[in-house]
Amino acid sequence: MDVIKQLFPLSFKGNDSNACVISVIVYLVAAIIVGVVVAILDFIPVVNILLGAIGTIFGLYCLAGIVFSILNFTKVIK
C-alpha cells in the first residue's frame, strides 16, 4: 500500500470531499492536456507510436488516480 501511496500522492492527500474533487479535477485536466499534446503531434510518423504509448500510459495513470481518490474518500482503502 505504501508503494501505491508514493505513486499516487495526490489521491491520498485528504479524506474530505474538497480534496477528492480537487484531485479528480487535476487528474482530468492533466489527462486532457496530454491528450491534446498527443493529438497535435500525431502527424509525425515515428513519434506517433511513441506518443500514443505515452498517452495511453498517462491516461491509465490518471484513471487509476481518480479511482484511488474516490476509494480513499469513501474509506474503502486506508
Side-chain angles (χ1 to χ4, degrees):
M1 193 63 181
D2 292 332
V3 175
I4 292 175
K5 287 183 180 182
Q6 290 176 352
L7 287 174
F8 300 95
L10 187 61
S11 297
F12 297 100
K13 285 286 182 184
N15 292 332
D16 59 341
S17 61
N18 290 336
C20 181
V21 169
I22 289 172
S23 66
V24 168
I25 290 172
V26 168
Y27 280 124
L28 285 175
V29 169
I32 289 170
I33 290 172
V34 169
V36 167
V37 169
V38 168
I40 289 172
L41 297 176
D42 193 35
F43 64 90
I44 303 172
V46 175
V47 179
N48 184 10
I49 298 169
L50 181 63
L51 282 178
I54 291 171
T56 302
I57 291 169
F58 191 76
L60 290 173
Y61 175 81
C62 289
L63 178 66
I66 291 170
V67 169
F68 286 138
S69 180
I70 293 171
L71 289 177
N72 185 40
F73 172 67
T74 57
K75 295 179 179 56
V76 173
I77 56 176
K78 297 179 183 178

